[in-house]
Amino acid sequence: MKHTRHVPAAGYADGAALDRITYLEAKLILKSEPFTSVRSFRDFGRVVKKTARASGVGFTEDDAAGQRPRIREIVFLDTPDFALYRNAFILRRRVSYEDGFPVGDPEIVCKFRHPVEETAAAVDMRPFIAGKYRIKFKAEVLPLKDRVGGYRLLYSHNCQFGLSPAMS
């Protein structure tokens, strides 16, 4: 499949340049049943690393791979009629836990995902908050929705920030 990339020279309403893709993220959907312990998860990591090496694919081990598992609660938010989802937006909150208790500032992420790069880039994801935020624009390779084998490409334009700055 040939894919050409074209982002128009236009910018956002305030004259800022459109965000550009910063990386490609490939997602695999895994069933949770085989992962019954920390060991089973690490065994899977070794299989992935070995397979990547045999296939000539780069593999970078996460610095946290040898540490205790991190637990996060992820809640997806929407209107009662799913207006965000129906219009290609995803709104989520993530809370990290240590020893069963929440730690740090909950993270809010708002995403706009679309199969057309120009459409995704044209949505200004900058929030109206006083605090810090991070914009990420990436191409996501995802499995097909309706059958096994193959992939689909979505462009994900994200804004990520802590809940505290949004509340002030």
Side-chain angles (χ1 to χ4, degrees):
M1 172 191 309
K2 184 177 179 183
H3 176 73
T4 57
R5 222 176 138 249
H6 171 71
V7 176
Y12 299 114
D14 65 356
L18 293 178
D19 294 316
R20 300 198 55 137
I21 292 174
T22 52
Y23 60 92
L24 172 69
E25 180 178 86
K27 295 186 177 187
L28 297 175
I29 309 301
L30 303 174
K31 292 186 176 191
S32 61
E33 290 83 1
F35 303 108
T36 58
S37 67
V38 172
R39 181 179 177 160
S40 64
F41 194 74
R42 291 191 175 135
D43 288 345
F44 177 75
R46 284 189 279 279
V47 169
V48 170
K49 185 176 185 177
K50 181 179 176 183
T51 303
R53 188 177 303 130
S55 303
V57 173
F59 181 89
T60 304
E61 192 164 332
D62 189 325
D63 293 337
Q67 298 175 4
R68 291 175 49 192
R70 293 180 298 166
I71 305 297
R72 296 187 304 182
E73 170 189 64
I74 301 172
V75 177
F76 292 89
L77 307 158
D78 208 331
T79 63
D81 64 346
F82 300 102
L84 292 174
Y85 184 76
R86 286 187 292 103
N87 289 286
F89 285 93
I90 296 171
L91 180 61
R92 76 169 184 236
R93 181 195 72 184
R94 282 199 292 215
V95 177
S96 294
Y97 288 83
E98 285 181 16
D99 299 320
F101 296 96
V103 293
D105 198 18
E107 175 190 83
I108 303 297
V109 175
C110 184
K111 295 183 175 198
F112 178 74
R113 295 195 326 178
H114 200 275
V116 177
E117 180 181 358
E118 292 83 2
T119 302
V123 177
D124 188 348
M125 295 301 293
R126 295 174 293 173
F128 294 107
I129 63 172
K132 294 180 181 180
Y133 60 88
R134 182 175 175 203
I135 301 294
K136 292 196 278 187
F137 188 35
K138 59 189 172 186
E140 293 183 347
V141 179
L142 300 158
L144 294 173
K145 286 183 174 183
D146 57 349
R147 68 181 196 274
V148 175
Y151 66 92
R152 58 194 168 107
L153 189 61
L154 286 179
Y155 296 94
S156 182
H157 203 177
N158 307 342
C159 180
Q160 176 179 327
F161 52 90
L163 181 60
S164 296
M167 302 304 288
S168 41

